[in-house]
Amino acid sequence: MDNNVSKELILWYMIYKRDLPWRNSHDPYHIWVSEIILQQTRVAQGLSYYIRFIETFPSIKNLAEAPQEQILKLWQGLGYYSRARNMHTAAKQIEELFGGQFPKTYKELLLLKGVGDYTAAAVASLAFNEPVAVVDGNVIRVIARLFGIEEAVDKPSTLKDIKTLANELLNKEKPALHNQAMMEFGALHCVPVNPDCHSCVLNSKCLALKNKLVSKIPSKSLKLKIRNRHFYYLAINSSGKIFFQRRGAGDIWEGLYEFPLVETEEPIAPEDLPEMISEKTNFKASAIRIIDISNPVKHILTHQKLYVTFIYLKADKIESAPPHWIVTETSRIFDHAVPRVIDRYLHSPSFIKANQNMY
DNA sequence: AAGCCGGGGAA
DNA sequence: TTCCCAGGCTT
């Protein structure tokens, strides 16, 4: 294969690479943590999480022994929370199946929960210099353009071809350096929109550039459907306590906490909210009154659009409440891992004001 | 093979 | 608005 590509990329990388904390380590634990955090996540967004994660859990043992709640709280706001739950599972796998020793090969790494083809290749090559090519979104773009691949890259058959090409291109003597160079090049130079092909070190070899297809490659076929959902959260305060509940499996935000929720297909008119509260919720209390109703907040997820309304209620004495409601002191609301949209509400003037007016 | 899982930043 | 990010799991 044309090994000059690897050499050009490595030369480029030596000049332009970013100084990132996980690059100063060969510890597979550090590399693994960074790779999980950076799945579908930009470096700028994940960086502070990485620092805090390593500070809080310096070793795989610390992570394995931590309660899941603590891990989720640390992960709060980063999204794709299954990553945090799977990391916990994987840490315990390493303690129990691998005797606390981090797996060293691509094949063994694949056994870990939450570690797929990309992450196994990344840890194996970056930490142990195993000659296996990483293929992430950056690499897909670079290779698809370099080889002028017009087929949709989200087709499994196309992805398979790209992985083959990536491994043929791989510098077998310096897999760690090569893989990082390839990804960094995609992240910084061969960017999705308007890449600077004029100054590109590969511009003489790039088929997409030659065929004027740079803006068309990589192409994708899949379109996703967006579902609209309307959430009505009840912040029920009764003598300094407030209710939470924990979200279960099969929906967004598994394992995170939220206020008692009423969800509807269609929006509810503000004047119908009091009736909705008494009809759709299963709690009884004396002197229930509505203190504040927020405007609907639009919260965008990958597959869903949420319209979230917060209703702050005060009740004198709770007579009965559903068993899965969790009583929390208002002073301890920040102990729970909550979705971003709820965290924002907890810090909003309207919530703080309603909370203060209790006393 | 297709659907689902968050949140944010760039253009 | 649209795209997509150091992807992986479930069905």
Side-chain angles (χ1 to χ4, degrees):
Chain A
M1 202 54 211
D2 184 359
N3 221 353
N4 287 326
V5 170
S6 180
K7 286 177 183 166
E8 293 287 1
L9 288 176
I10 287 172
L11 285 174
W12 175 92
Y13 179 69
M14 300 306 275
I15 299 170
Y16 295 104
K17 70 171 182 179
R18 292 167 288 184
D19 184 19
L20 301 171
W22 48 87
R23 288 195 175 142
N24 300 322
S25 171
H26 283 280
D27 185 335
Y29 174 64
H30 293 169
I31 309 249
W32 170 65
V33 169
S34 74
E35 294 301 341
I36 302 293
I37 286 177
L38 294 174
Q39 285 172 5
Q40 297 292 285
T41 305
R42 290 167 197 280
V43 168
Q45 189 186 357
L47 185 54
S48 66
Y49 284 85
Y50 172 82
I51 307 275
R52 271 180 286 146
F53 210 92
I54 295 297
E55 277 174 4
T56 310
F57 306 117
S59 75
I60 188 78
K61 193 165 187 294
N62 300 139
L63 181 59
E65 290 171 355
Q68 191 203 59
E69 305 253 329
Q70 187 189 2
I71 300 170
L72 281 175
K73 182 64 187 177
L74 205 56
W75 205 268
Q76 175 179 302
L78 198 52
Y80 284 142
Y81 298 94
S82 65
R83 292 183 292 173
R85 301 193 308 271
N86 290 341
M87 273 184 101
H88 195 205
T89 303
K92 289 189 277 195
Q93 282 180 306
I94 291 173
E95 291 300 314
E96 291 159 18
L97 270 53
F98 295 91
Q101 193 81 354
F102 216 99
K104 291 182 167 52
T105 64
Y106 170 79
K107 201 172 171 183
E108 282 184 314
L109 286 159
L110 273 181
L111 298 174
L112 298 176
K113 190 81 170 168
V115 173
D117 192 43
Y118 164 75
T119 306
V123 177
S125 66
L126 303 191
F128 301 108
N129 232 28
E130 184 174 336
V132 51
V134 295
V135 178
D136 71 337
N138 293 312
V139 178
I140 289 171
R141 187 169 54 255
V142 171
I143 291 191
R145 283 176 175 164
L146 198 54
F147 292 89
I149 297 170
E150 298 181 60
E151 293 77 23
V153 295
D154 50 7
K155 275 172 55 183
S157 58
T158 311
L159 188 61
K160 193 171 168 235
D161 292 342
I162 290 177
K163 283 180 181 172
T164 301
L165 289 168
N167 276 294
E168 287 175 2
L169 225 46
L170 176 67
N171 184 328
K172 309 302 195 282
E173 280 73 48
K174 301 174 178 175
L177 194 56
H178 171 99
N179 278 336
Q180 295 194 74
M182 183 71 106
M183 289 191 284
E184 190 79 334
F185 183 73
L188 298 184
H189 193 97
C190 194
V191 291
V193 180
N194 293 327
D196 182 7
C197 299
H198 181 68
S199 70
C200 178
V201 296
L202 300 180
N203 57 15
S204 66
K205 311 176 197 294
C206 181
L207 284 183
L209 179 61
K210 183 181 175 187
N211 299 331
K212 300 187 187 305
L213 290 172
V214 173
S215 66
K216 306 287 184 191
I217 296 177
S219 79
K220 297 198 171 177
S221 57
L222 301 180
K223 306 174 190 30
L224 55 130
K225 290 167 280 201
I226 304 290
R227 174 160 66 122
N228 287 316
R229 303 173 75 174
H230 300 270
F231 282 14
Y232 296 88
Y233 278 126
L234 306 179
I236 305 166
N237 187 320
S238 177
S239 44
K241 297 179 188 354
I242 208 154
F243 288 104
F244 275 111
Q245 60 186 13
R246 196 168 190 205
R247 291 188 66 88
D251 201 349
I252 57 174
W253 301 331
E254 178 182 341
L256 272 62
Y257 289 84
E258 63 183 0
F259 295 121
L261 168 67
V262 176
E263 181 180 352
T264 60
E265 291 286 334
E266 299 297 328
I268 299 173
E271 59 268 28
D272 295 336
L273 282 175
E275 188 186 341
M276 177 276 283
I277 292 166
S278 58
E279 268 184 21
K280 301 264 188 172
T281 63
N282 227 343
F283 82 104
K284 291 188 171 53
S286 57
I288 302 171
R289 53 222 183 263
I290 297 175
I291 304 296
D292 183 65
I293 300 176
S294 78
N295 291 321
V297 177
K298 194 200 288 187
H299 189 71
I300 311 283
L301 304 179
T302 302
H303 293 262
Q304 320 186 1
K305 237 185 249 179
L306 309 181
Y307 296 89
V308 183
T309 302
F310 293 94
I311 302 157
Y312 198 105
L313 301 165
K314 175 164 184 185
D316 281 350
K317 187 176 184 326
I318 305 293
E319 289 157 13
S320 73
H324 59 276
W325 286 14
I326 297 157
V327 179
T328 307
E329 299 286 337
T330 53
S331 59
R332 305 203 58 179
I333 49 176
F334 295 111
D335 291 357
H336 297 81
V338 298
R340 202 77 171 89
V341 66
I342 290 186
D343 191 50
R344 273 197 271 262
Y345 175 65
L346 294 178
H347 289 93
S348 73
S350 65
F351 177 79
I352 292 167
K353 180 161 180 264
N355 240 8
Q356 283 168 347
N357 286 348
M358 299 291 62
Y359 309 106

